[in-house]
Amino acid sequence: MAPPRNIVILTGAGISAESGIDTFRSAGGLWEQHRVEDVATPEGFARDPDLVLGFYDMRRAALADVAPNAAHRALARLQAAYSGEVLLVTQNVDDLHERGGAGQVLHMHGELKSALCTACGTRSRWDRALIERPPCPVCAAPMLRPDVVWFGEMPYEMGRIYQALEVCDLFVSIGTSGAVYPAAGFVQEARAAGAHCLELNLEPSEGSHLFHETRLGPASVLVPEWVDEVLAC
Ligand code: BJW
């Protein structure tokens, strides 16, 4: 039997695409419908907070109409059944990994169902709209913003992620274009640690050449197949 291994999995918008959540950079994706500078930067928020709050309120509300798919469920099955370590890192702000049964998930770009108080810095679980400027549950200031990471801001959990990459021996990137750093650089960190690097994607990502192996197809097919392989070892 193979010894337990340390697996780090990075997921992106592609894993939730078949659940009906728009990706960012595909044809018809979110960045064709909205300017990145307007809705995903601190400067855009300062310029037009109503536009930004409305954009995230709409996406938070839309979570009620989607469900996890076979790829989310397969990763949860892996986390539960694998004898080694499995760290699941997502760039996604949806909650489909959790609703698919995953245990611990690191949301490096934040979460739609969390609000960040710009007055006291508290992060609060949140599932209502923000556009009406509700008070912070801790300090009562009406200064909540979506708890998501915009361009120019520091992603969450970077210390834990880099620590895991340093000791991982399998790195798997699922459904991300490799266009956004620091996530796009994780494959290089994992390679430097001697990990085997596998990409599962509909199309090759920008950093596809950095992976030892690329499998192309829909996440709902590729991910359960790969999980079956790992659990059979
Ligand atoms: C399927 C599929 C199916 C479809 N099955 N697959 C120059 C060089 C290097 C870096 C920089 C630079 N200039 C600026 C930077 C830094 C900047 C950056 O990367 N900019 C780039 C544009 C170059 N990064 C930042 O500012 C970050 N912060 C930072 O760097 O802090 C300093 C720091 C330094 C050192 C260490 C640590 C930190 C912050 C980035 C924040 C990104 N925020 C967003 C918005 C979040 C909130 C929201 O959701 O609105 O995060 S942008 C957006 O892109 C979102 C995503 O998480 C992220 C990645 O997108 P993703 O998931 O890859 O989606 P897509 O649409 O791009 O791709 C979908 C993929 O799915 C495709 O590959 C399809 O093929 C695939 N797919 N269907 C399988 N069925």
Side-chain angles (χ1 to χ4, degrees), residues 56-74:
Y56 286 96
D57 282 352
M58 173 195 72
R59 289 173 59 199
R60 188 183 311 100
L63 290 180
D65 302 325
V66 297
N69 64 51
H72 299 103
R73 290 193 298 272

Side-chain angles (χ1 to χ4, degrees), residues 18-214:
E18 290 165 84
S19 292
I21 299 184
D22 283 341
T23 62
F24 295 92
R25 293 168 185 82
S26 313
L30 281 172
W31 293 163
E32 274 188 5
Q33 304 162 41
H34 307 269
R35 279 166 33 102
V36 182
E37 304 80 3
D38 290 342
V39 295
T41 62
E43 295 78 16
F45 182 53
R47 239 183 350 257
D48 191 345
D50 278 359
L51 175 80
V52 176
L53 294 174
F55 174 66
Y56 286 96
D57 282 352
M58 173 195 72
R59 289 173 59 199
R60 188 183 311 100
L63 290 180
D65 302 325
V66 297
N69 64 51
H72 299 103
R73 290 193 298 272
L75 294 183
R77 184 160 56 87
L78 179 70
Q79 271 190 321
Y82 191 61
S83 55
E85 293 291 323
V86 181
L87 182 70
L88 182 51
V89 179
T90 188
Q91 299 168 87
N92 298 344
V93 295
D94 66 53
D95 58 353
L96 294 186
H97 282 302
E98 288 86 350
R99 283 160 59 195
Q104 193 182 46
V105 184
L106 301 188
H107 282 269
M108 64 178 288
H109 290 165
E111 295 180 69
L112 285 169
K113 290 196 175 172
S114 179
L116 173 66
C117 178
T118 59
C120 73
T122 301
R123 304 176 72 189
S124 302
R125 298 309 300 164
W126 201 266
D127 60 9
R128 291 168 289 133
L130 289 172
I131 200 155
E132 302 298 343
R133 309 300 196 278
C136 167
V138 173
C139 75
M143 295 181 68
L144 297 173
R145 58 162 268 188
D147 188 11
V148 300
V149 178
W150 290 320
F151 285 105
E153 298 184 321
M154 182 64 81
Y156 289 116
E157 305 282 6
M158 293 312 298
R160 284 171 75 185
I161 296 169
Y162 281 125
Q163 260 178 13
L165 289 169
E166 269 172 30
V167 295
C168 82
D169 31 30
L170 179 56
F171 173 72
V172 187
S173 170
I174 303 172
T176 175
S177 60
V180 176
Y181 287 83
F186 290 172
V187 58
Q188 277 149 316
E189 303 289 330
R191 277 186 82 109
H196 181 73
C197 298
L198 168 65
E199 168 167 61
L200 307 178
N201 204 328
L202 203 53
E203 294 168 0
S205 68
E206 289 188 16
S208 202
H209 60 284
L210 296 167
F211 289 82
H212 298 101
E213 191 185 347
T214 295

